[in-house]
Amino acid sequence: MANQIIVNAKTKKTKISRMIYGHFAEHLGRCIYDGFYVGEDSDIPNVRGMRTDIIEALKRIKIPCLRWPGGCFADEYHWRDGIGPKESRPYRINTHWGGVVENNHFGTHEFFDLCEMLGAEPYICGNVGSGTVQEMSEWVEYMTSDARSSVTDLRRKNGREEPWRLKYFGIGNENWNCGGRMRAEYYADEMNRYNLYARDYGENRLYRIAAGPRNANYKWTEVLMRDASMYVDAIALHYYTRVGDKIITTHLPDGNERYYSDDSRSRKSATEFGEEDWFGIMKAAAYTEELIAKHTAIMDRYDPDKRTALVVDEWGTWFDNEPGTNPGFLYQQNTLRDAVSAAVSLNIFNNHSDRVHMANIAQTVNVLQAMILTEGERMLLTPTYHVFDMYKVHQDADLLDFAMLSDDYVWEGERVHQISASVSRDAAGKLHMTLANVNPDQAAEVTCHIGDFDGAPHVEGSVLTAAAMNARNTFEQPEQVKPQAFADFTVEGCTLHIQMPAKSVVLLTVS
Ligand code: AHR
């Protein structure tokens, strides 16, 4: 069999929300401190403490939104710690991540400042696990109300006269584990209570996101849809692509799940792996399709009009930390394997953009599947960054209808589709096709017919690939893996014959 794609250039399905290309930054390891934020006194070029090179790099990939302050940190974060003069902000212990001292120099004002510099929508996650209803309610008031009150006067006193505009607001994070070890029913009730008092002030309208399930915890989705979906705009799924996990799941008789961490287990190396673990990651990335389809099927029963979105506000690869680094900092290198798996996941999100409104890869700088790694003043762009750069053409474009037949990539009797794809048309009328070939050994011949295309197609391409499965960028050699021009295709009328290299990501632009 061969790989075949048939695109209908005139059949638009849905708009691919640019928020699918969103990011996540937690007070974890070196993501915020010694990552985004180096402080005003740093020798590293910065604007009000934010690293200029990071801002510029993220603007190039059109970062649409940034989720903050966690993650598990969010359910231990007390926003009043992070406002006012920096020298009087309290020191706290970041108990969840490495037990390091949190000096709170990066807080609410700094976060909005960062988002303004990035041109990104802020997405703030509130504290349900260890905070109070009043605390969350007043944070929203502090940020978004124009009225005169002791809370908003505090904002003015701290130098911000006008309220900020805040759309995306999360009501807790992973409340089935680090956010309070709740059962679905209990969280739904608590979420409704916290959510009620997180008011809309003036013209500001919150887009309310409930903490959703882990992986295949379908009971969580069912309960939230039944008991809380009428009060929120979205439910957030968390799914990490891994070949080894530390979390053990216990299934309770009522369908709820309990999670325990076994630190003697390994999540496997980010850089030292053979084909077994390459295949494992590709299979785990492909599983995103099943997860989204099944959570969506539950949501469809309660909400056939798709009013409530699914947001995947944590996703990406998760490996053992780099040897010699603090295990609580989750610092991992990033290889071609990360890039190809990201391409597969993003194609799936695009193809489900009727339900998936947002996704936030974890995490932007120096943590998990990062876009950017830093070491002192040095900075490198990871292979995953380059996938986001190639895929940015899909942001707010119309998803096009297509049919696909794929060969299998088989490893030890298990199989996944060799190719993955998504196709969109942008406002200027250009058609963009992104393809991933997950087979590390075999090129993929792809025949693509573009139906209903006006005129003779002009095609341009770029490719991300490398000789080794674990090829990566290092501070010494930061440009080992980066996109190259791609011309390994022929055009016959409206049919493209594409030769994709093994383990590659390809972008084709048809105009
Ligand atoms: O991204 C790292 C952690 O993974 C987040 O803090 C948490 O929400 C998830 O378990």
Side-chain angles (χ1 to χ4, degrees), residues 276-299:
E276 182 180 356
D277 285 349
W278 169 282
F279 178 84
I281 284 294
M282 297 309 144
K283 194 173 142 211
Y287 178 58
T288 309
E289 172 72 37
E290 177 179 328
L291 280 179
I292 291 184
K294 288 190 172 168
H295 285 293
T296 295
I298 296 168
M299 296 175 83

PDB file of all heavy atoms in Angstrom, residues 276-299:
ATOM      1  N   GLU A 276      13.182   0.970  20.244  1.00  0.00           N
ATOM      2  CA  GLU A 276      12.040   0.599  21.097  1.00  0.00           C
ATOM      3  C   GLU A 276      11.405   1.857  21.728  1.00  0.00           C
ATOM      4  O   GLU A 276      10.186   2.034  21.728  1.00  0.00           O
ATOM      5  CB  GLU A 276      12.502  -0.361  22.191  1.00  0.00           C
ATOM      6  CG  GLU A 276      11.362  -0.815  23.077  1.00  0.00           C
ATOM      7  CD  GLU A 276      11.820  -1.767  24.170  1.00  0.00           C
ATOM      8  OE1 GLU A 276      13.017  -2.134  24.196  1.00  0.00           O
ATOM      9  OE2 GLU A 276      10.965  -2.123  24.996  1.00  0.00           O
ATOM     10  N   ASP A 277      12.256   2.719  22.255  1.00  0.00           N
ATOM     11  CA  ASP A 277      11.723   3.923  22.908  1.00  0.00           C
ATOM     12  C   ASP A 277      11.320   4.995  21.899  1.00  0.00           C
ATOM     13  O   ASP A 277      10.465   5.837  22.192  1.00  0.00           O
ATOM     14  CB  ASP A 277      12.741   4.479  23.913  1.00  0.00           C
ATOM     15  CG  ASP A 277      12.775   3.627  25.177  1.00  0.00           C
ATOM     16  OD1 ASP A 277      11.877   2.773  25.335  1.00  0.00           O
ATOM     17  OD2 ASP A 277      13.702   3.802  25.986  1.00  0.00           O
ATOM     18  N   TRP A 278      11.920   4.976  20.726  1.00  0.00           N
ATOM     19  CA  TRP A 278      11.419   5.860  19.663  1.00  0.00           C
ATOM     20  C   TRP A 278       9.985   5.470  19.324  1.00  0.00           C
ATOM     21  O   TRP A 278       9.069   6.303  19.300  1.00  0.00           O
ATOM     22  CB  TRP A 278      12.309   5.763  18.407  1.00  0.00           C
ATOM     23  CG  TRP A 278      11.701   6.450  17.206  1.00  0.00           C
ATOM     24  CD1 TRP A 278      10.697   5.971  16.409  1.00  0.00           C
ATOM     25  CD2 TRP A 278      12.003   7.759  16.705  1.00  0.00           C
ATOM     26  NE1 TRP A 278      10.363   6.882  15.426  1.00  0.00           N
ATOM     27  CE2 TRP A 278      11.155   7.996  15.591  1.00  0.00           C
ATOM     28  CE3 TRP A 278      12.913   8.752  17.076  1.00  0.00           C
ATOM     29  CZ2 TRP A 278      11.189   9.171  14.850  1.00  0.00           C
ATOM     30  CZ3 TRP A 278      12.948   9.932  16.323  1.00  0.00           C
ATOM     31  CH2 TRP A 278      12.089  10.128  15.232  1.00  0.00           C
ATOM     32  N   PHE A 279       9.805   4.141  19.100  1.00  0.00           N
ATOM     33  CA  PHE A 279       8.464   3.668  18.760  1.00  0.00           C
ATOM     34  C   PHE A 279       7.483   3.986  19.893  1.00  0.00           C
ATOM     35  O   PHE A 279       6.351   4.431  19.661  1.00  0.00           O
ATOM     36  CB  PHE A 279       8.476   2.154  18.486  1.00  0.00           C
ATOM     37  CG  PHE A 279       7.105   1.608  18.190  1.00  0.00           C
ATOM     38  CD1 PHE A 279       6.578   1.676  16.905  1.00  0.00           C
ATOM     39  CD2 PHE A 279       6.300   1.084  19.205  1.00  0.00           C
ATOM     40  CE1 PHE A 279       5.286   1.212  16.639  1.00  0.00           C
ATOM     41  CE2 PHE A 279       5.020   0.632  18.951  1.00  0.00           C
ATOM     42  CZ  PHE A 279       4.513   0.692  17.666  1.00  0.00           C
ATOM     43  N   GLY A 280       7.925   3.753  21.129  1.00  0.00           N
ATOM     44  CA  GLY A 280       7.051   4.000  22.289  1.00  0.00           C
ATOM     45  C   GLY A 280       6.522   5.418  22.307  1.00  0.00           C
ATOM     46  O   GLY A 280       5.334   5.661  22.584  1.00  0.00           O
ATOM     47  N   ILE A 281       7.385   6.363  22.005  1.00  0.00           N
ATOM     48  CA  ILE A 281       6.938   7.772  22.011  1.00  0.00           C
ATOM     49  C   ILE A 281       5.979   8.048  20.848  1.00  0.00           C
ATOM     50  O   ILE A 281       4.969   8.755  21.004  1.00  0.00           O
ATOM     51  CB  ILE A 281       8.163   8.719  21.998  1.00  0.00           C
ATOM     52  CG1 ILE A 281       8.805   8.750  23.390  1.00  0.00           C
ATOM     53  CG2 ILE A 281       7.800  10.130  21.544  1.00  0.00           C
ATOM     54  CD1 ILE A 281       7.952   9.376  24.495  1.00  0.00           C
ATOM     55  N   MET A 282       6.263   7.450  19.679  1.00  0.00           N
ATOM     56  CA  MET A 282       5.350   7.679  18.546  1.00  0.00           C
ATOM     57  C   MET A 282       3.973   7.063  18.824  1.00  0.00           C
ATOM     58  O   MET A 282       2.938   7.642  18.492  1.00  0.00           O
ATOM     59  CB  MET A 282       5.933   7.098  17.243  1.00  0.00           C
ATOM     60  CG  MET A 282       7.219   7.763  16.821  1.00  0.00           C
ATOM     61  SD  MET A 282       7.071   9.573  16.797  1.00  0.00           S
ATOM     62  CE  MET A 282       8.705  10.051  17.359  1.00  0.00           C
ATOM     63  N   LYS A 283       3.990   5.919  19.476  1.00  0.00           N
ATOM     64  CA  LYS A 283       2.715   5.270  19.826  1.00  0.00           C
ATOM     65  C   LYS A 283       1.967   6.129  20.864  1.00  0.00           C
ATOM     66  O   LYS A 283       0.750   6.326  20.776  1.00  0.00           O
ATOM     67  CB  LYS A 283       3.016   3.890  20.416  1.00  0.00           C
ATOM     68  CG  LYS A 283       1.824   3.002  20.504  1.00  0.00           C
ATOM     69  CD  LYS A 283       2.234   1.615  20.937  1.00  0.00           C
ATOM     70  CE  LYS A 283       1.162   1.085  21.867  1.00  0.00           C
ATOM     71  NZ  LYS A 283       1.622   0.179  22.874  1.00  0.00           N
ATOM     72  N   ALA A 284       2.714   6.645  21.833  1.00  0.00           N
ATOM     73  CA  ALA A 284       2.083   7.482  22.870  1.00  0.00           C
ATOM     74  C   ALA A 284       1.526   8.770  22.261  1.00  0.00           C
ATOM     75  O   ALA A 284       0.465   9.254  22.666  1.00  0.00           O
ATOM     76  CB  ALA A 284       3.093   7.805  23.969  1.00  0.00           C
ATOM     77  N   ALA A 285       2.228   9.331  21.280  1.00  0.00           N
ATOM     78  CA  ALA A 285       1.722  10.556  20.630  1.00  0.00           C
ATOM     79  C   ALA A 285       0.457  10.232  19.834  1.00  0.00           C
ATOM     80  O   ALA A 285      -0.542  10.968  19.890  1.00  0.00           O
ATOM     81  CB  ALA A 285       2.796  11.161  19.730  1.00  0.00           C
ATOM     82  N   ALA A 286       0.475   9.094  19.116  1.00  0.00           N
ATOM     83  CA  ALA A 286      -0.694   8.713  18.314  1.00  0.00           C
ATOM     84  C   ALA A 286      -1.916   8.448  19.202  1.00  0.00           C
ATOM     85  O   ALA A 286      -3.064   8.655  18.786  1.00  0.00           O
ATOM     86  CB  ALA A 286      -0.379   7.477  17.473  1.00  0.00           C
ATOM     87  N   TYR A 287      -1.683   8.018  20.438  1.00  0.00           N
ATOM     88  CA  TYR A 287      -2.766   7.723  21.388  1.00  0.00           C
ATOM     89  C   TYR A 287      -3.575   8.981  21.726  1.00  0.00           C
ATOM     90  O   TYR A 287      -4.740   8.895  22.138  1.00  0.00           O
ATOM     91  CB  TYR A 287      -2.142   7.105  22.645  1.00  0.00           C
ATOM     92  CG  TYR A 287      -3.097   6.769  23.765  1.00  0.00           C
ATOM     93  CD1 TYR A 287      -4.174   5.908  23.573  1.00  0.00           C
ATOM     94  CD2 TYR A 287      -2.896   7.296  25.038  1.00  0.00           C
ATOM     95  CE1 TYR A 287      -5.034   5.599  24.626  1.00  0.00           C
ATOM     96  CE2 TYR A 287      -3.756   6.989  26.091  1.00  0.00           C
ATOM     97  CZ  TYR A 287      -4.824   6.144  25.874  1.00  0.00           C
ATOM     98  OH  TYR A 287      -5.663   5.836  26.913  1.00  0.00           O
ATOM     99  N   THR A 288      -2.988  10.137  21.507  1.00  0.00           N
ATOM    100  CA  THR A 288      -3.711  11.407  21.717  1.00  0.00           C
ATOM    101  C   THR A 288      -5.029  11.390  20.937  1.00  0.00           C
ATOM    102  O   THR A 288      -6.049  11.916  21.391  1.00  0.00           O
ATOM    103  CB  THR A 288      -2.840  12.600  21.246  1.00  0.00           C
ATOM    104  OG1 THR A 288      -1.553  12.487  21.854  1.00  0.00           O
ATOM    105  CG2 THR A 288      -3.444  13.929  21.595  1.00  0.00           C
ATOM    106  N   GLU A 289      -4.990  10.779  19.757  1.00  0.00           N
ATOM    107  CA  GLU A 289      -6.195  10.714  18.906  1.00  0.00           C
ATOM    108  C   GLU A 289      -7.327   9.989  19.636  1.00  0.00           C
ATOM    109  O   GLU A 289      -8.462  10.488  19.706  1.00  0.00           O
ATOM    110  CB  GLU A 289      -5.830   9.981  17.605  1.00  0.00           C
ATOM    111  CG  GLU A 289      -6.981   9.657  16.676  1.00  0.00           C
ATOM    112  CD  GLU A 289      -7.540  10.883  15.973  1.00  0.00           C
ATOM    113  OE1 GLU A 289      -6.741  11.771  15.614  1.00  0.00           O
ATOM    114  OE2 GLU A 289      -8.774  10.947  15.807  1.00  0.00           O
ATOM    115  N   GLU A 290      -7.010   8.825  20.190  1.00  0.00           N
ATOM    116  CA  GLU A 290      -8.035   8.042  20.901  1.00  0.00           C
ATOM    117  C   GLU A 290      -8.548   8.814  22.124  1.00  0.00           C
ATOM    118  O   GLU A 290      -9.757   8.856  22.387  1.00  0.00           O
ATOM    119  CB  GLU A 290      -7.443   6.695  21.339  1.00  0.00           C
ATOM    120  CG  GLU A 290      -8.419   5.876  22.146  1.00  0.00           C
ATOM    121  CD  GLU A 290      -7.850   4.520  22.566  1.00  0.00           C
ATOM    122  OE1 GLU A 290      -7.030   3.941  21.821  1.00  0.00           O
ATOM    123  OE2 GLU A 290      -8.238   4.037  23.655  1.00  0.00           O
ATOM    124  N   LEU A 291      -7.626   9.417  22.857  1.00  0.00           N
ATOM    125  CA  LEU A 291      -8.029  10.160  24.057  1.00  0.00           C
ATOM    126  C   LEU A 291      -8.996  11.287  23.703  1.00  0.00           C
ATOM    127  O   LEU A 291     -10.042  11.454  24.333  1.00  0.00           O
ATOM    128  CB  LEU A 291      -6.799  10.779  24.734  1.00  0.00           C
ATOM    129  CG  LEU A 291      -5.951   9.866  25.608  1.00  0.00           C
ATOM    130  CD1 LEU A 291      -4.781  10.664  26.164  1.00  0.00           C
ATOM    131  CD2 LEU A 291      -6.784   9.278  26.743  1.00  0.00           C
ATOM    132  N   ILE A 292      -8.632  12.047  22.688  1.00  0.00           N
ATOM    133  CA  ILE A 292      -9.490  13.190  22.331  1.00  0.00           C
ATOM    134  C   ILE A 292     -10.828  12.697  21.790  1.00  0.00           C
ATOM    135  O   ILE A 292     -11.886  13.227  22.142  1.00  0.00           O
ATOM    136  CB  ILE A 292      -8.767  14.129  21.345  1.00  0.00           C
ATOM    137  CG1 ILE A 292      -7.625  14.806  22.102  1.00  0.00           C
ATOM    138  CG2 ILE A 292      -9.725  15.173  20.766  1.00  0.00           C
ATOM    139  CD1 ILE A 292      -6.869  15.826  21.342  1.00  0.00           C
ATOM    140  N   ALA A 293     -10.777  11.655  20.982  1.00  0.00           N
ATOM    141  CA  ALA A 293     -12.035  11.133  20.422  1.00  0.00           C
ATOM    142  C   ALA A 293     -12.955  10.649  21.545  1.00  0.00           C
ATOM    143  O   ALA A 293     -14.164  10.916  21.537  1.00  0.00           O
ATOM    144  CB  ALA A 293     -11.740  10.007  19.439  1.00  0.00           C
ATOM    145  N   LYS A 294     -12.397   9.960  22.538  1.00  0.00           N
ATOM    146  CA  LYS A 294     -13.260   9.403  23.599  1.00  0.00           C
ATOM    147  C   LYS A 294     -13.765  10.478  24.561  1.00  0.00           C
ATOM    148  O   LYS A 294     -14.917  10.444  24.982  1.00  0.00           O
ATOM    149  CB  LYS A 294     -12.518   8.297  24.340  1.00  0.00           C
ATOM    150  CG  LYS A 294     -12.364   7.033  23.483  1.00  0.00           C
ATOM    151  CD  LYS A 294     -11.840   5.870  24.286  1.00  0.00           C
ATOM    152  CE  LYS A 294     -11.904   4.591  23.449  1.00  0.00           C
ATOM    153  NZ  LYS A 294     -11.156   3.498  24.075  1.00  0.00           N
ATOM    154  N   HIS A 295     -12.892  11.425  24.923  1.00  0.00           N
ATOM    155  CA  HIS A 295     -13.387  12.521  25.781  1.00  0.00           C
ATOM    156  C   HIS A 295     -14.432  13.341  25.017  1.00  0.00           C
ATOM    157  O   HIS A 295     -15.448  13.754  25.577  1.00  0.00           O
ATOM    158  CB  HIS A 295     -12.233  13.410  26.249  1.00  0.00           C
ATOM    159  CG  HIS A 295     -11.398  12.773  27.328  1.00  0.00           C
ATOM    160  ND1 HIS A 295     -11.880  12.525  28.594  1.00  0.00           N
ATOM    161  CD2 HIS A 295     -10.113  12.316  27.322  1.00  0.00           C
ATOM    162  CE1 HIS A 295     -10.928  11.947  29.330  1.00  0.00           C
ATOM    163  NE2 HIS A 295      -9.845  11.805  28.577  1.00  0.00           N
ATOM    164  N   THR A 296     -14.174  13.537  23.724  1.00  0.00           N
ATOM    165  CA  THR A 296     -15.123  14.296  22.903  1.00  0.00           C
ATOM    166  C   THR A 296     -16.464  13.576  22.808  1.00  0.00           C
ATOM    167  O   THR A 296     -17.527  14.216  22.856  1.00  0.00           O
ATOM    168  CB  THR A 296     -14.533  14.517  21.492  1.00  0.00           C
ATOM    169  OG1 THR A 296     -13.386  15.348  21.628  1.00  0.00           O
ATOM    170  CG2 THR A 296     -15.509  15.198  20.557  1.00  0.00           C
ATOM    171  N   ALA A 297     -16.431  12.263  22.690  1.00  0.00           N
ATOM    172  CA  ALA A 297     -17.694  11.507  22.574  1.00  0.00           C
ATOM    173  C   ALA A 297     -18.538  11.712  23.833  1.00  0.00           C
ATOM    174  O   ALA A 297     -19.763  11.863  23.758  1.00  0.00           O
ATOM    175  CB  ALA A 297     -17.398  10.025  22.345  1.00  0.00           C
ATOM    176  N   ILE A 298     -17.883  11.751  24.992  1.00  0.00           N
ATOM    177  CA  ILE A 298     -18.632  12.011  26.237  1.00  0.00           C
ATOM    178  C   ILE A 298     -19.195  13.433  26.199  1.00  0.00           C
ATOM    179  O   ILE A 298     -20.370  13.667  26.506  1.00  0.00           O
ATOM    180  CB  ILE A 298     -17.710  11.824  27.465  1.00  0.00           C
ATOM    181  CG1 ILE A 298     -17.250  10.375  27.547  1.00  0.00           C
ATOM    182  CG2 ILE A 298     -18.425  12.266  28.752  1.00  0.00           C
ATOM    183  CD1 ILE A 298     -16.119  10.141  28.536  1.00  0.00           C
ATOM    184  N   MET A 299     -18.339  14.374  25.803  1.00  0.00           N
ATOM    185  CA  MET A 299     -18.785  15.776  25.768  1.00  0.00           C
ATOM    186  C   MET A 299     -19.939  15.950  24.779  1.00  0.00           C
ATOM    187  O   MET A 299     -20.894  16.696  25.030  1.00  0.00           O
ATOM    188  CB  MET A 299     -17.605  16.689  25.414  1.00  0.00           C
ATOM    189  CG  MET A 299     -16.508  16.658  26.477  1.00  0.00           C
ATOM    190  SD  MET A 299     -15.036  17.606  26.045  1.00  0.00           S
ATOM    191  CE  MET A 299     -15.541  19.255  26.541  1.00  0.00           C
TER     192      MET A 299
END
